[in-house]
Amino acid sequence: MVRYTAVAGRNVTLNCPGVNEHSLVDALVWKTSQTVAEFVNGLPIVRNPRVTLLPDNFSLHIRPTVASDTAEYSCLVNDRHSPEAIVDLLVQDVPDPPGRPLVVSFTSRSVHLSWAHSQDSRNSPVSYFIIETR
């Protein structure tokens, strides 16, 4: 399995393991839980306008990436599947903001706050918060 990590908003190209410009490819399918792109009868067919199937080596080009592109992609060549033909893509994006802060207690010199963590971390766990005051 090949692993890729990408930043949301940038482009990424996933190479089909074992396939290059000299490979004899009659049919090729890129899949996650559903078909993403395929090469059949000499024609590329894609299901998403952000996805391109590169003609020279059948790589999957995604532009721009979003967190929901995170998946395990399999590349099926000439109706043959091998474990090496799996590409794991992790797309990291800015997490959703946390919930509205709630003042738990305060004194003249301090305040204790609480808030709900973001609902969707978008594959980027929060490591710290910055609290600004006016």
Side-chain angles (χ1 to χ4, degrees), residues 31-53:
K31 300 174 80 163
T32 56
S33 57
Q34 57 190 2
T35 299
V36 177
E38 55 190 321
F39 179 78
V40 181
N41 297 327
L43 297 172
I45 301 167
V46 295
R47 308 283 192 271
N48 183 323
R50 295 182 302 103
V51 173
T52 306
L53 189 59

Side-chain angles (χ1 to χ4, degrees), residues 1 10 19-20 36-38 42 63 75 104 132:
M1 179 183 308
R10 299 229 174 114
V19 175
N20 59 42
V36 177
E38 55 190 321
R63 65 182 195 303
C75 182
V104 176
E132 297 177 349

Side-chain angles (χ1 to χ4, degrees), residues 34-122:
Q34 57 190 2
T35 299
V36 177
E38 55 190 321
F39 179 78
V40 181
N41 297 327
L43 297 172
I45 301 167
V46 295
R47 308 283 192 271
N48 183 323
R50 295 182 302 103
V51 173
T52 306
L53 189 59
L54 300 180
D56 54 345
N57 62 359
F58 305 100
S59 295
L60 193 67
H61 185 70
I62 305 171
R63 65 182 195 303
T65 57
V66 295
S68 60
D69 291 328
T70 296
E72 216 173 68
Y73 291 79
S74 62
C75 182
L76 181 65
V77 181
N78 298 334
D79 294 326
R80 292 189 195 121
H81 179 69
S82 67
E84 301 85 37
I86 296 176
V87 178
D88 188 31
L89 175 63
L90 174 69
V91 180
Q92 296 177 318
D93 200 354
V94 175
D96 282 344
R100 187 178 179 138
L102 173 67
V103 176
V104 176
S105 65
F106 64 93
T107 68
S108 63
R109 300 183 63 77
S110 68
V111 63
H112 290 174
L113 299 174
S114 176
W115 58 83
H117 286 278
S118 63
Q119 294 295 317
D120 186 1
S121 69
R122 295 186 184 147

